[in-house]
Amino acid sequence: MRNILIIGAGRSATSLIRYLLDKSEEENLFITIGDISVQSAKKLIQNHPNAKGILLDVFNDAQRKEAVKNSDIVISMLPARYHIEVAKDCLALGKNMVTASYVSKEMQALNPKAEAKGLIFMNEIGLDPGVDHMSAMQIIDRIRAKGGKMLLFESFCGGLIAPESDDNLWNYKFTWNPRNVVLAGQGGAAEFIQEGKYKYIPYHRLFRRTEFINIEGYGKFEVLANRNSLQYQSVYGLEDILTLYRGTIRRVGFSKAWNMFVQLGMTDDTYTIPDSENLTYRDFVNLFLAYSPTDSVELKLRYALKIDQDDLMWEKLEELDIFNDKKTIGIKNATPAMALQKILEEKWTLSEEDKDMIVMYHKFGYELNGEKHQIDSHMTLIGEDQTHTAMAKTVGLPVAIAAIKILNGEITTPGVQRPIAKEVYEPILKELEDHGVIFKEEEVKYLGYNPENLHLG
Amino acid sequence: MRNILIIGAGRSATSLIRYLLDKSEEENLFITIGDISVQSAKKLIQNHPNAKGILLDVFNDAQRKEAVKNSDIVISMLPARYHIEVAKDCLALGKNMVTASYVSKEMQALNPKAEAKGLIFMNEIGLDPGVDHMSAMQIIDRIRAKGGKMLLFESFCGGLIAPESDDNLWNYKFTWNPRNVVLAGQGGAAEFIQEGKYKYIPYHRLFRRTEFINIEGYGKFEVLANRNSLQYQSVYGLEDILTLYRGTIRRVGFSKAWNMFVQLGMTDDTYTIPDSENLTYRDFVNLFLAYSPTDSVELKLRYALKIDQDDLMWEKLEELDIFNDKKTIGIKNATPAMALQKILEEKWTLSEEDKDMIVMYHKFGYELNGEKHQIDSHMTLIGEDQTHTAMAKTVGLPVAIAAIKILNGEITTPGVQRPIAKEVYEPILKELEDHGVIFKEEEVKYLGYNPENLHLG
């Protein structure tokens, strides 16, 4: 038996655990799930003979070390900031490790020691980061192998609601951590390059500078820039690329409507509101509007945001019941972002029948033998149900597959890693196809952002 | 001879030093001016027999302690963050101290020890903070002495260009630290209270939520909210007040035009621009606009900010020569804010003949014997010249006067202080009148923000 320790039994772990349980006989696995709630851990196991749930408080050094010691490989599904303690144990006790999170500075600093000990610390192997790295590097490596020179790389991803469950005016529900959605884009200007020109978008303009994509069978989507496109230059070896842009996918119209919250200041997470617990939704809205008791909150908001009476933006606000003067925020010391999240969760939480959808879209522009080419590649996946969502599958399956391939000696390069090497992405992408994670590729005319390709007049 | 040590011989120290030199015979003073540049110190003294300039690097412990030891009182005109080292020396060596800066947490922490040693550390005794505290507390104390209950306190201040020197479309020039002007309002939402309702304005809306005031002889001005109005509740003992709002005064139209920079992201100080040194002004503007080589930077900006062709906003931009494709930023590793400051300084620096102007305006609403009243009080001051600006006088004179009154035992309460006690503000305000700092007071109808006072219909 090979022992796999999974730390964290949250909703990102469902498909990961199902996959490993399904493989446990064939691969000779015993799976231990450690969580601060033993109930959560046990629920995911459902009495499977090759698994057990244990109490694991990641801040309890003895408990954590003991669990790591008894394992052959460790999967940490904790929030990113907690990985580092687990990683240090893995280093001390000589265990390989897998996470779906971005490589932190602290994690990167362990690289020399991990390499020296021959240990594999595989990170960024969920969906985004993860499937994006693998599916992009597969095509970039192929272009390079032909002798092509990369000109453009754009990569977009979104966790959305499936069309069959899309029944609100925002064309959106929370399929993942709502707090991250509310805070998305904050913390600094978005930075990217287009045709060699650096471009910056401040947070308060981010939701008004969207681009559009069409996906066969699903129609039109919008893309808003991620903060940190430029760091992909070094990760993918694209230092000389002319266009590098990463973004988040939403249904068309979401960003324009979300911008209302940004403009009002409702997404601010830097201060707390006095007596937020007893504030009504209407009071909350009024915090961000001029004092004028002769005017309704509604008219003040319409005036502040210049919303015409026949503008769909207005229906979107009303759908959220945001002017309700009975419902209260009910959270002590809430920031505006926390209060807004509360209001949105009431309307945007998945119902039992709802299914989610993952959309990923890449564009690769390159030059080969003096000619410009472009490959577009995209993937869509609809979730099974509320447990095995498309998000849980696309985040969890690559982690699970990687863990087995490390155990089996098929992934071998030691150190703090991302899944950008062929030895990693080829077999994982191949197996993901069996689970419906399939990229469709097409050659398109290279457009870039060049004037000769644009309609003038 | 009583020895006064002044640390920092910047342009905020000119009127302060002239005042003390003028008083040196009568008051038996010897003034030592310590600065990192002995030349700067000596220039301000102009061979006056009762003064000397010395080299003083505030980071040189021995040098600093020696200078403090030889003084009877220390005036620190350094940037606020450097006061604390001086204050610790004053504490150790038993010297009183005066600054024009906000009380920092570190400074406040010295209060028990300063009190125990009977030392006066007088802070916030410049213009804003300073003259605002004194002129406000004088009226608030008078209202309270009559038995009145404060309902409303609004206080505005601006450093502007005098009408006779007002010759650009922005009706603005830099009369003080340009960097502070570029960064004004950043770092969190503006918070205030109106009629008991908390109100918040995010930075990107701050310049579109202005109020207006009229000043006899000078016309109309606009006011934008300061970040931190609420902290004045405890400083002034206004915990139960219904309306508390502090703001910055500009000429009407400035904020709407400044908002263009905010919207584009040009005031951001959190990241540096690659190769900023060689960037032209035009390139700089283009950083914040969509990539579209078929369109001019001008049209992209007009489109992004929805500026009509006959909108005066456009002339304001052109006046700054912001679309120039020859002039370069010329600063390595510049942030957008630094680059913008460079562009503005070229146009907004005072010329030799220019005079500045200080405007301060307070509103006091109160209830007395069941009736509501309001007092408005305002002060305007035009600078003498570029050395003795209205800013240098209003910042420096209260500091100088306070220092002499502490030396003379007229200000006696020990501890870390602000000038909010009658013993401090009465004599200082009286003497400031001799220097043209005169508040005009008038009883007006109490308006507040109550519906019955507003025109309906």
Side-chain angles (χ1 to χ4, degrees), chain A residues 187-189 191 194-205 208-209 230 262-265 268 270-274 283 286-294 300 303-306 449-452 454 456, chain B residues 187-189 191 194-205 208-209 230 262-265 268 270-274 283 286-294 300 303-306 449-452 454 456:
Chain A
E191 306 186 7
Q194 284 175 319
E195 299 288 346
K197 302 272 190 192
Y198 288 94
K199 294 291 173 186
Y200 302 91
I201 308 179
Y203 174 62
H204 61 267
R205 298 275 295 175
R208 302 307 297 122
R209 287 269 297 271
L230 300 187
V262 174
Q263 289 308 310
L264 291 169
D268 198 323
T270 64
Y271 63 90
T272 57
I273 305 160
D283 292 336
N286 203 17
L287 291 176
F288 307 100
L289 299 171
Y291 185 84
S292 179
T294 55
K300 291 193 297 183
Y303 170 71
L305 299 183
K306 299 191 169 66
Y449 291 85
N450 292 307
E452 65 262 32
L454 299 170
L456 299 177
Chain B
E191 307 187 5
Q194 283 175 317
E195 299 288 345
K197 302 272 189 192
Y198 287 95
K199 294 290 174 186
Y200 302 91
I201 308 179
Y203 173 63
H204 60 266
R205 298 276 293 175
R208 302 308 297 125
R209 288 270 297 270
L230 300 186
V262 174
Q263 289 308 310
L264 290 169
D268 198 321
T270 63
Y271 63 90
T272 57
I273 304 161
D283 291 336
N286 202 17
L287 291 176
F288 308 101
L289 298 171
Y291 184 85
S292 178
T294 54
K300 290 193 297 182
Y303 170 71
L305 299 183
K306 298 190 170 67
Y449 292 84
N450 291 306
E452 64 262 33
L454 299 170
L456 300 179

Side-chain angles (χ1 to χ4, degrees), chain B residues 20-37:
Chain B
L20 291 174
L21 292 175
D22 289 351
K23 290 272 179 182
S24 61
E25 285 301 320
E26 172 193 342
E27 292 283 353
N28 204 23
L29 306 175
F30 189 84
I31 297 136
T32 304
I33 302 173
D35 197 277
I36 186 86
S37 151

